């Protein structure tokens, strides 16, 4: 009943709170024999790490990962560290908690946060930094994702921020190389320039803004997914929706497909050298819950950060009306740091389905 685990054969359990001693995960079911070094996991964590630009939270966390178990290397492995097939435990210490920032919200519920719902459900709430509901937990997902990326041979998983507030990118200018060159993970250099001034304005107002993230997986073999109740699109939607602040998920053309006619939406096929060649990908690489072999395209909307400096009306634990200003250090646009998290969730879902597919059909 605790639901801190996801996946069937590639199974990830995360633990930890925002202001606890540490957070981390246990990855169970990872195949043996995959080379795995802490530095590879660290490289992914460094992309999600807070405090890397003025556009993200100024909490300073090195997010240094330690591998506690599940790997082994000696002369028989050529000195390389390989996964052993046993549970891989990863831990990341919290080092920059400032719990006093949160003393004012001890007795009041922050609008847009999980304060009220956690208290209504459990009757007890770690209010320091949002406790378990904090997106600090997504560091553990990114660490698990770094392992998941190794499971499916030949896949590439990349994500990008494609809209900030009302400002969508120009898709004609999409350049994946650009994503690593600006602090927004944005594939359109001109949009990234605009976001700088736009988000500076939002930040100086003590406000926040939402965003849309797109995650694309290429090189996915056809047939991954398990109809009917383990459809790949259903599992992806659940995985993305489980990321903090995500309020909508779509696959392929998603909600825009409602405005299309059948002849525009159906992805036509021609005979190709290696099976059918699709002439379009409105379906986002999934038909009948199974991957088609085309790129899997998933998009999600992230709400604006709830912690803002404008006073908001709320109630106290005793049931009195109150006003609250959420101080502390916050991301003015949480969509930015959601980009590496999106890639990690895609990687974990695909790794799980790859192993399930292999288990059933070889
Ligand atoms: C990477 C990331 C960073 C986040 N940072 C913040 C933050 O600094 N301040 C904040 O109010 N919410 C932040 N959030 C969102 C909250 O964690 C989330 O809105 C809150 O826990 C309530 O959950 P829900 O929005 O999923 O319903 C962040 C989300 C993500 C994905």
């Amino acid at each position: 009943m605790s639901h801190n685990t996801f996946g069937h054969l590639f199974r990830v359990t995360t633990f930890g709170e925002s202001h606890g001693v540490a957070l981390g995960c246990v990855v169970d079911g990872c195949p043996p024999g995959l080379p795995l070094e802490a530095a590879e996991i660290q490289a992914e964590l460094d992309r999600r790490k807070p405090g890397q630009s003025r556009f993200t939270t100024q909490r300073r966390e090195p997010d240094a990962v330690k591998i506690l178990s599940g790997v082994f290397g000696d002369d028989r492995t050529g000195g390389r560290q390989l996964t052993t097939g046993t549970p891989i435990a990863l831990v990341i210490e919290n080092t920059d908690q400032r719990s006093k920032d949160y003393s004012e919200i001890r007795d009041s519920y922050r609008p847009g946060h999980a304060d009220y719902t956690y208290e209504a459900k459990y009757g007890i709430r770690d209010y320091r930094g949002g406790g378990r509901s904090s997106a600090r937990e997504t560091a553990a997902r990114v660490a698990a994702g770094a392992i998941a990326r190794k499971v499916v041979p030949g896949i590439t998983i990349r994500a990008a921020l494609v809209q900030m507030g009302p400002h969508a990118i120009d898709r004609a200018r999409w350049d994946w190389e650009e994503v690593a060159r600006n602090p927004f993970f944005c594939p359109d250099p001109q949009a990234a320039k605009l976001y700088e001034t736009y988000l500076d304005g939002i930040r100086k107002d003590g406000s926040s803004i939402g965003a849309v993230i797109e995650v694309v997986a290429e090189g996915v073999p056809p047939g991954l997914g398990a109809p009917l109740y383990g459809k790949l699109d259903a599992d992806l939607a659940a995985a993305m929706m489980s990321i903090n602040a995500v309020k909508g998920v779509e696959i392929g053309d998603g909600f825009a497909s409602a405005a299309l006619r059948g002849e525009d939406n159906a992805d036509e096929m021609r005979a190709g050298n290696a099976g059918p060649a699709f002439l379009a990908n409105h379906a986002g690489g999934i038909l009948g819950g199974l991957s088609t072999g085309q790129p899997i395209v998933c998009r999600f909307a992230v709400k604006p950060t709830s912690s803002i400096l404008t006073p908001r009306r709320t109630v106290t634990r005793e049931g009195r009306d109150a006003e609250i200003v959420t101080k502390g250090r916050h991301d003015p646009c949480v969509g930015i740091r959601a980009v590496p998290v999106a890639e990690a969730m895609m990687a974990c879902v695909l790794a799980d389905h790859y192993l399930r597919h292999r288990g059933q059909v070889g």
Side-chain angles (χ1 to χ4, degrees):
M1 289 297 284
S2 46
H3 301 292
N4 290 292
T5 301
F6 67 98
H8 289 253
L9 294 190
F10 187 90
R11 220 164 154 67
V12 179
T13 303
T14 74
F15 62 87
E17 291 87 24
S18 176
H19 289 209
V21 176
L23 53 94
C25 63
V26 175
V27 176
D28 202 1
C30 181
L34 301 176
L36 180 65
E37 298 290 338
E40 298 169 279
I41 304 172
Q42 194 61 54
E44 293 299 328
L45 283 168
D46 287 349
R47 295 175 65 226
R48 196 214 70 103
K49 205 162 70 169
Q52 304 202 81
S53 78
R54 65 182 189 276
F55 303 110
T56 61
T57 171
Q58 294 307 301
R59 179 167 170 173
R60 298 271 165 200
E61 288 289 354
D63 278 356
V65 67
K66 259 192 227 150
I67 305 179
L68 301 187
S69 65
V71 291
F72 177 73
D74 69 359
D75 51 328
R76 281 176 302 171
T77 66
R80 289 188 313 165
Q81 187 165 258
L82 303 179
T83 57
T84 57
T86 60
I88 303 170
L90 306 175
V91 72
I92 300 162
E93 275 177 36
N94 287 322
T95 61
D96 189 24
Q97 309 96 315
R98 280 195 207 155
S99 301
K100 73 172 173 28
D101 282 346
Y102 293 90
S103 48
E104 277 172 36
I105 55 136
R106 214 174 71 126
D107 299 316
S108 298
Y109 304 126
R110 294 166 301 167
H113 277 279
D115 301 347
Y116 168 66
T117 48
Y118 267 55
E119 194 139 338
K121 183 176 177 70
Y122 299 109
I124 177 168
R125 163 171 72 100
D126 179 352
Y127 54 82
R128 302 164 308 159
R132 178 74 180 153
S133 77
S134 161
R136 198 66 206 113
E137 183 268 350
T138 60
R141 301 177 189 223
V142 170
I147 301 172
R149 281 175 189 273
K150 293 169 168 275
V151 173
V152 189
I155 62 164
T156 306
I157 298 170
R158 296 180 289 193
L161 185 147
V162 297
Q163 183 173 333
M164 185 184 291
H167 304 293
I169 62 157
D170 179 344
R171 301 182 78 87
R173 287 198 290 259
W174 190 301
D175 175 5
W176 278 116
E177 303 283 305
E178 198 54 42
V179 169
R181 289 192 203 120
N182 62 71
F184 308 106
F185 297 108
C186 176
D188 169 358
Q190 287 186 36
K193 264 274 78 24
L194 171 83
Y195 295 162
E196 260 181 46
T197 34
Y198 178 66
L199 196 53
D200 266 337
I202 299 273
R203 214 166 43 87
K204 283 173 189 157
D205 290 347
S207 186
S208 65
I209 194 70
V212 177
I213 311 307
E214 184 164 317
V215 51
V216 181
E218 288 163 291
V220 179
L224 301 199
L228 291 172
Y229 301 109
K231 288 182 172 182
L232 188 56
D233 38 4
D235 280 358
L236 277 175
M240 299 303 165
M241 195 56 112
S242 77
I243 301 172
N244 311 48
V246 172
K247 295 309 279 185
V249 181
E250 55 181 25
I251 307 285
D253 282 4
F255 277 83
S257 58
L260 295 180
R261 292 169 62 108
E263 57 271 36
D264 299 321
N265 178 66
D267 300 324
E268 294 180 279
M269 286 175 263
R270 305 308 294 159
N273 292 336
F278 291 89
L279 303 184
N281 189 16
H282 298 285
I286 302 174
L287 291 170
L290 305 176
S291 58
T292 63
Q294 289 185 284
I296 293 180
V297 182
C298 178
R299 223 170 287 105
F300 59 78
V302 180
K303 73 187 191 185
T305 321
S306 302
S307 301
I308 50 175
L309 293 177
T310 314
R312 300 281 83 194
R313 286 170 292 182
T314 188
V315 292
T316 64
R317 290 180 70 222
E318 288 74 36
R320 278 195 306 276
D321 285 341
E323 270 205 349
I324 191 162
V325 172
T326 314
K327 297 190 194 121
R329 298 158 294 172
H330 297 282
D331 288 284
C333 175
V334 300
I336 300 172
R337 290 172 60 236
V339 170
V341 184
E343 291 179 7
M345 293 311 280
M346 174 71 89
C348 289
V349 170
L350 291 178
D352 186 41
H353 273 285
Y354 175 77
L355 296 178
R356 282 152 77 175
H357 180 69
R358 206 169 67 172
Q360 188 183 21
V361 304

